[in-house]
Amino acid sequence: MLVDTTMAELSDLTFRTAFIVYIVALIMAFIYYGRVNSVIEARREALAEQKVLVGAGGPEVVEKQTPESTEFDAKVANARKWAGMTQALVWVGVALHLVAFVTRGLAAKRFPLGNLYEYILFMTAVIMVVAAVVVQRKGWYTVWPWLLFPMVIAMFLNSTVFHMQAAPVVPALQSYWLPVHVSSVSIGASVGLVSGVFALLYLLRMWQPRGEEHGVLGAIARPLPDAKTLDQIAYKTAVVTLPLFGIGIVFGAIWAEVAWGRFWGWDAKETVSMITWILYAAYLHARATAGWKSNAAAWINVFAMAMTIFNMTYVNTVIAGLHSYAGLN
């Protein structure tokens, strides 16, 4: 089967362009993060001053317009502009990201999930779509630095270390089960990674409660949403991850029976995937069980995210097995 080199080059170009767009968006997100930090500091100073004014001359003193309040409004408006530009750039990056995935499939004339490069290409695209939708709907633009920074690193590694030229897949992957099994597993894992990031941010916020931040970490945590909000989004995304990832494992077992004559063989990829699914189940169980500390449950989610990354990188590239299709080992 011949490869369409034009489409392959277009895929690589759009992927690298999306990478550059995300870097610019990350820079803007950092600027926005800093502006929000200064707005929060100004607001807290204003509230402290109001308490002094109320004690000195009554509420009517506070209601008077001051240059400081006008300056505060200008800071808020300026910060919102950076948030809007960041979100707009993210959507441009997402569009290019999706084009890179589609053109990769057109180049190889198959569903583009045949090696580790294509797997990470798909996962990063799904993560960015999920993140962009969640952030825009909730208005949590301050989480963009935390989401974009690991995304930029993953895309850099994918375009350098893990990059593979478009080519036909090995005979074992030439099956209609490929898009069914791999897409469900990768979508579930992608949403799970988003959940893990929010679980990490929740732990940071619990360590640095709103209004009680201190030190360098306090300054870093100050613009984040409150702990309850971060915990809720980590929980809701994990609720999506568990069935999707589980269905993907089941589809994989059915495909294994068709291809290898057995449903389960304790291959490294199978084993680590099952452990990851159990960890997400344990997180949701702990999160819903009275008596469990929410911090402990969040750590289970973080550990599940670490297992997903371990499975995607080390298991795919170092450990030999029936799932060694990364194209690197």
mmCIF file of all heavy atoms in Angstrom, residues 168-199:
data_model
loop_
_atom_site.group_PDB
_atom_site.id
_atom_site.type_symbol
_atom_site.label_atom_id
_atom_site.label_comp_id
_atom_site.label_asym_id
_atom_site.label_seq_id
_atom_site.Cartn_x
_atom_site.Cartn_y
_atom_site.Cartn_z
ATOM 1 N N PRO A 168 2.415 1.548 6.222
ATOM 2 C CA PRO A 168 1.425 0.519 6.538
ATOM 3 C C PRO A 168 1.761 -0.145 7.878
ATOM 4 O O PRO A 168 2.922 -0.189 8.295
ATOM 5 C CB PRO A 168 1.567 -0.485 5.384
ATOM 6 C CG PRO A 168 2.222 0.300 4.284
ATOM 7 C CD PRO A 168 3.111 1.278 4.954
ATOM 8 N N VAL A 169 0.752 -0.669 8.549
ATOM 9 C CA VAL A 169 0.972 -1.333 9.833
ATOM 10 C C VAL A 169 1.295 -2.810 9.615
ATOM 11 O O VAL A 169 1.076 -3.361 8.531
ATOM 12 C CB VAL A 169 -0.273 -1.208 10.741
ATOM 13 C CG1 VAL A 169 -0.486 0.227 11.151
ATOM 14 C CG2 VAL A 169 -1.510 -1.761 10.044
ATOM 15 N N VAL A 170 1.799 -3.442 10.650
ATOM 16 C CA VAL A 170 2.111 -4.871 10.582
ATOM 17 C C VAL A 170 0.802 -5.652 10.415
ATOM 18 O O VAL A 170 -0.281 -5.167 10.775
ATOM 19 C CB VAL A 170 2.851 -5.330 11.849
ATOM 20 C CG1 VAL A 170 4.191 -4.630 11.967
ATOM 21 C CG2 VAL A 170 2.001 -5.069 13.094
ATOM 22 N N PRO A 171 0.859 -6.866 9.891
ATOM 23 C CA PRO A 171 -0.364 -7.647 9.652
ATOM 24 C C PRO A 171 -1.253 -7.808 10.881
ATOM 25 O O PRO A 171 -2.483 -7.830 10.767
ATOM 26 C CB PRO A 171 0.178 -8.997 9.171
ATOM 27 C CG PRO A 171 1.485 -8.661 8.527
ATOM 28 C CD PRO A 171 2.050 -7.553 9.347
ATOM 29 N N ALA A 172 -0.631 -7.917 12.076
ATOM 30 C CA ALA A 172 -1.425 -8.127 13.290
ATOM 31 C C ALA A 172 -2.374 -6.965 13.578
ATOM 32 O O ALA A 172 -3.390 -7.145 14.262
ATOM 33 C CB ALA A 172 -0.493 -8.343 14.482
ATOM 34 N N LEU A 173 -2.050 -5.771 13.065
ATOM 35 C CA LEU A 173 -2.876 -4.599 13.321
ATOM 36 C C LEU A 173 -3.849 -4.290 12.186
ATOM 37 O O LEU A 173 -4.609 -3.330 12.276
ATOM 38 C CB LEU A 173 -1.986 -3.378 13.570
ATOM 39 C CG LEU A 173 -1.093 -3.427 14.817
ATOM 40 C CD1 LEU A 173 -0.290 -2.136 14.931
ATOM 41 C CD2 LEU A 173 -1.904 -3.663 16.076
ATOM 42 N N GLN A 174 -3.807 -5.091 11.141
ATOM 43 C CA GLN A 174 -4.703 -4.860 10.011
ATOM 44 C C GLN A 174 -6.060 -5.508 10.297
ATOM 45 O O GLN A 174 -6.412 -6.552 9.766
ATOM 46 C CB GLN A 174 -4.080 -5.423 8.733
ATOM 47 C CG GLN A 174 -2.813 -4.680 8.312
ATOM 48 C CD GLN A 174 -2.113 -5.314 7.131
ATOM 49 O OE1 GLN A 174 -2.608 -6.272 6.538
ATOM 50 N NE2 GLN A 174 -0.933 -4.802 6.775
ATOM 51 N N SER A 175 -6.801 -4.858 11.169
ATOM 52 C CA SER A 175 -8.089 -5.392 11.631
ATOM 53 C C SER A 175 -9.020 -4.233 11.949
ATOM 54 O O SER A 175 -8.579 -3.137 12.322
ATOM 55 C CB SER A 175 -7.884 -6.256 12.883
ATOM 56 O OG SER A 175 -9.119 -6.566 13.492
ATOM 57 N N TYR A 176 -10.317 -4.469 11.820
ATOM 58 C CA TYR A 176 -11.307 -3.447 12.168
ATOM 59 C C TYR A 176 -11.338 -3.203 13.674
ATOM 60 O O TYR A 176 -11.917 -2.223 14.151
ATOM 61 C CB TYR A 176 -12.700 -3.861 11.680
ATOM 62 C CG TYR A 176 -13.200 -5.167 12.263
ATOM 63 C CD1 TYR A 176 -13.875 -5.209 13.480
ATOM 64 C CD2 TYR A 176 -12.990 -6.369 11.592
ATOM 65 C CE1 TYR A 176 -14.330 -6.403 14.010
ATOM 66 C CE2 TYR A 176 -13.453 -7.569 12.110
ATOM 67 C CZ TYR A 176 -14.118 -7.581 13.323
ATOM 68 O OH TYR A 176 -14.566 -8.770 13.845
ATOM 69 N N TRP A 177 -10.694 -4.112 14.462
ATOM 70 C CA TRP A 177 -10.630 -3.921 15.908
ATOM 71 C C TRP A 177 -9.655 -2.809 16.294
ATOM 72 O O TRP A 177 -9.703 -2.305 17.419
ATOM 73 C CB TRP A 177 -10.215 -5.223 16.607
ATOM 74 C CG TRP A 177 -11.328 -6.214 16.721
ATOM 75 C CD1 TRP A 177 -11.484 -7.372 16.014
ATOM 76 C CD2 TRP A 177 -12.453 -6.121 17.602
ATOM 77 N NE1 TRP A 177 -12.640 -8.012 16.393
ATOM 78 C CE2 TRP A 177 -13.259 -7.270 17.366
ATOM 79 C CE3 TRP A 177 -12.880 -5.198 18.553
ATOM 80 C CZ2 TRP A 177 -14.433 -7.511 18.060
ATOM 81 C CZ3 TRP A 177 -14.054 -5.441 19.245
ATOM 82 C CH2 TRP A 177 -14.815 -6.575 18.993
ATOM 83 N N LEU A 178 -8.753 -2.444 15.389
ATOM 84 C CA LEU A 178 -7.765 -1.409 15.714
ATOM 85 C C LEU A 178 -8.421 -0.091 16.116
ATOM 86 O O LEU A 178 -8.164 0.417 17.222
ATOM 87 C CB LEU A 178 -6.806 -1.207 14.536
ATOM 88 C CG LEU A 178 -5.789 -0.062 14.692
ATOM 89 C CD1 LEU A 178 -4.827 -0.346 15.831
ATOM 90 C CD2 LEU A 178 -5.018 0.161 13.391
ATOM 91 N N PRO A 179 -9.277 0.508 15.275
ATOM 92 C CA PRO A 179 -9.897 1.766 15.698
ATOM 93 C C PRO A 179 -10.839 1.600 16.883
ATOM 94 O O PRO A 179 -10.954 2.512 17.711
ATOM 95 C CB PRO A 179 -10.656 2.228 14.441
ATOM 96 C CG PRO A 179 -10.868 0.997 13.642
ATOM 97 C CD PRO A 179 -9.670 0.138 13.896
ATOM 98 N N VAL A 180 -11.506 0.435 16.971
ATOM 99 C CA VAL A 180 -12.461 0.219 18.058
ATOM 100 C C VAL A 180 -11.748 0.128 19.403
ATOM 101 O O VAL A 180 -12.093 0.814 20.377
ATOM 102 C CB VAL A 180 -13.293 -1.058 17.800
ATOM 103 C CG1 VAL A 180 -14.192 -1.354 18.989
ATOM 104 C CG2 VAL A 180 -14.113 -0.918 16.534
ATOM 105 N N HIS A 181 -10.742 -0.729 19.469
ATOM 106 C CA HIS A 181 -10.032 -0.962 20.726
ATOM 107 C C HIS A 181 -9.135 0.213 21.112
ATOM 108 O O HIS A 181 -9.246 0.761 22.217
ATOM 109 C CB HIS A 181 -9.197 -2.250 20.596
ATOM 110 C CG HIS A 181 -8.114 -2.390 21.625
ATOM 111 N ND1 HIS A 181 -8.378 -2.380 22.975
ATOM 112 C CD2 HIS A 181 -6.761 -2.524 21.490
ATOM 113 C CE1 HIS A 181 -7.235 -2.525 23.644
ATOM 114 N NE2 HIS A 181 -6.248 -2.597 22.759
ATOM 115 N N VAL A 182 -8.263 0.624 20.201
ATOM 116 C CA VAL A 182 -7.254 1.629 20.553
ATOM 117 C C VAL A 182 -7.887 2.997 20.790
ATOM 118 O O VAL A 182 -7.475 3.725 21.697
ATOM 119 C CB VAL A 182 -6.166 1.710 19.460
ATOM 120 C CG1 VAL A 182 -5.090 2.707 19.871
ATOM 121 C CG2 VAL A 182 -5.541 0.345 19.227
ATOM 122 N N SER A 183 -8.888 3.367 20.005
ATOM 123 C CA SER A 183 -9.503 4.686 20.190
ATOM 124 C C SER A 183 -10.227 4.780 21.532
ATOM 125 O O SER A 183 -10.130 5.800 22.229
ATOM 126 C CB SER A 183 -10.462 5.013 19.045
ATOM 127 O OG SER A 183 -11.503 4.063 18.982
ATOM 128 N N SER A 184 -10.943 3.718 21.930
ATOM 129 C CA SER A 184 -11.653 3.762 23.213
ATOM 130 C C SER A 184 -10.674 3.806 24.378
ATOM 131 O O SER A 184 -10.878 4.552 25.355
ATOM 132 C CB SER A 184 -12.593 2.562 23.343
ATOM 133 O OG SER A 184 -11.901 1.345 23.158
ATOM 134 N N VAL A 185 -9.593 3.027 24.296
ATOM 135 C CA VAL A 185 -8.583 3.049 25.353
ATOM 136 C C VAL A 185 -7.905 4.415 25.422
ATOM 137 O O VAL A 185 -7.725 4.987 26.511
ATOM 138 C CB VAL A 185 -7.530 1.941 25.124
ATOM 139 C CG1 VAL A 185 -6.320 2.156 26.025
ATOM 140 C CG2 VAL A 185 -8.126 0.575 25.403
ATOM 141 N N SER A 186 -7.528 4.954 24.271
ATOM 142 C CA SER A 186 -6.787 6.220 24.262
ATOM 143 C C SER A 186 -7.661 7.400 24.693
ATOM 144 O O SER A 186 -7.179 8.304 25.387
ATOM 145 C CB SER A 186 -6.189 6.476 22.879
ATOM 146 O OG SER A 186 -7.184 6.463 21.883
ATOM 147 N N ILE A 187 -8.945 7.405 24.308
ATOM 148 C CA ILE A 187 -9.835 8.485 24.754
ATOM 149 C C ILE A 187 -10.010 8.410 26.266
ATOM 150 O O ILE A 187 -9.937 9.423 26.975
ATOM 151 C CB ILE A 187 -11.194 8.412 24.038
ATOM 152 C CG1 ILE A 187 -11.028 8.746 22.556
ATOM 153 C CG2 ILE A 187 -12.191 9.387 24.679
ATOM 154 C CD1 ILE A 187 -12.289 8.538 21.736
ATOM 155 N N GLY A 188 -10.239 7.188 26.778
ATOM 156 C CA GLY A 188 -10.365 7.021 28.223
ATOM 157 C C GLY A 188 -9.114 7.464 28.958
ATOM 158 O O GLY A 188 -9.177 8.172 29.981
ATOM 159 N N ALA A 189 -7.946 7.069 28.436
ATOM 160 C CA ALA A 189 -6.682 7.453 29.064
ATOM 161 C C ALA A 189 -6.463 8.965 28.990
ATOM 162 O O ALA A 189 -5.941 9.573 29.933
ATOM 163 C CB ALA A 189 -5.531 6.721 28.394
ATOM 164 N N SER A 190 -6.851 9.583 27.883
ATOM 165 C CA SER A 190 -6.684 11.032 27.717
ATOM 166 C C SER A 190 -7.497 11.801 28.746
ATOM 167 O O SER A 190 -6.992 12.726 29.402
ATOM 168 C CB SER A 190 -7.090 11.445 26.299
ATOM 169 O OG SER A 190 -6.313 10.792 25.330
ATOM 170 N N VAL A 191 -8.757 11.423 28.889
ATOM 171 C CA VAL A 191 -9.605 12.085 29.887
ATOM 172 C C VAL A 191 -9.054 11.824 31.287
ATOM 173 O O VAL A 191 -9.090 12.695 32.166
ATOM 174 C CB VAL A 191 -11.058 11.598 29.763
ATOM 175 C CG1 VAL A 191 -11.939 12.263 30.819
ATOM 176 C CG2 VAL A 191 -11.609 11.885 28.367
ATOM 177 N N GLY A 192 -8.510 10.610 31.499
ATOM 178 C CA GLY A 192 -7.910 10.289 32.786
ATOM 179 C C GLY A 192 -6.709 11.157 33.109
ATOM 180 O O GLY A 192 -6.498 11.543 34.267
ATOM 181 N N LEU A 193 -5.914 11.495 32.102
ATOM 182 C CA LEU A 193 -4.772 12.379 32.323
ATOM 183 C C LEU A 193 -5.228 13.778 32.738
ATOM 184 O O LEU A 193 -4.623 14.405 33.608
ATOM 185 C CB LEU A 193 -3.912 12.446 31.059
ATOM 186 C CG LEU A 193 -3.121 11.175 30.719
ATOM 187 C CD1 LEU A 193 -2.442 11.329 29.358
ATOM 188 C CD2 LEU A 193 -2.082 10.875 31.786
ATOM 189 N N VAL A 194 -6.310 14.258 32.110
ATOM 190 C CA VAL A 194 -6.881 15.556 32.514
ATOM 191 C C VAL A 194 -7.337 15.486 33.962
ATOM 192 O O VAL A 194 -7.088 16.394 34.769
ATOM 193 C CB VAL A 194 -8.046 15.948 31.593
ATOM 194 C CG1 VAL A 194 -8.734 17.217 32.102
ATOM 195 C CG2 VAL A 194 -7.560 16.148 30.162
ATOM 196 N N SER A 195 -7.979 14.369 34.329
ATOM 197 C CA SER A 195 -8.429 14.174 35.710
ATOM 198 C C SER A 195 -7.254 14.195 36.672
ATOM 199 O O SER A 195 -7.325 14.798 37.751
ATOM 200 C CB SER A 195 -9.181 12.840 35.823
ATOM 201 O OG SER A 195 -9.595 12.601 37.161
ATOM 202 N N GLY A 196 -6.156 13.551 36.280
ATOM 203 C CA GLY A 196 -4.986 13.515 37.141
ATOM 204 C C GLY A 196 -4.368 14.884 37.363
ATOM 205 O O GLY A 196 -3.920 15.199 38.476
ATOM 206 N N VAL A 197 -4.347 15.705 36.318
ATOM 207 C CA VAL A 197 -3.814 17.066 36.462
ATOM 208 C C VAL A 197 -4.654 17.861 37.452
ATOM 209 O O VAL A 197 -4.119 18.564 38.329
ATOM 210 C CB VAL A 197 -3.764 17.777 35.095
ATOM 211 C CG1 VAL A 197 -3.447 19.261 35.276
ATOM 212 C CG2 VAL A 197 -2.730 17.124 34.188
ATOM 213 N N PHE A 198 -5.979 17.749 37.344
ATOM 214 C CA PHE A 198 -6.850 18.468 38.275
ATOM 215 C C PHE A 198 -6.723 17.920 39.690
ATOM 216 O O PHE A 198 -6.867 18.667 40.668
ATOM 217 C CB PHE A 198 -8.300 18.418 37.796
ATOM 218 C CG PHE A 198 -8.631 19.462 36.770
ATOM 219 C CD1 PHE A 198 -8.585 19.182 35.421
ATOM 220 C CD2 PHE A 198 -8.972 20.741 37.157
ATOM 221 C CE1 PHE A 198 -8.873 20.147 34.471
ATOM 222 C CE2 PHE A 198 -9.265 21.729 36.228
ATOM 223 C CZ PHE A 198 -9.212 21.427 34.878
ATOM 224 N N ALA A 199 -6.461 16.618 39.828
ATOM 225 C CA ALA A 199 -6.229 16.049 41.155
ATOM 226 C C ALA A 199 -4.954 16.629 41.774
ATOM 227 O O ALA A 199 -4.917 16.931 42.982
ATOM 228 C CB ALA A 199 -6.131 14.519 41.065
#
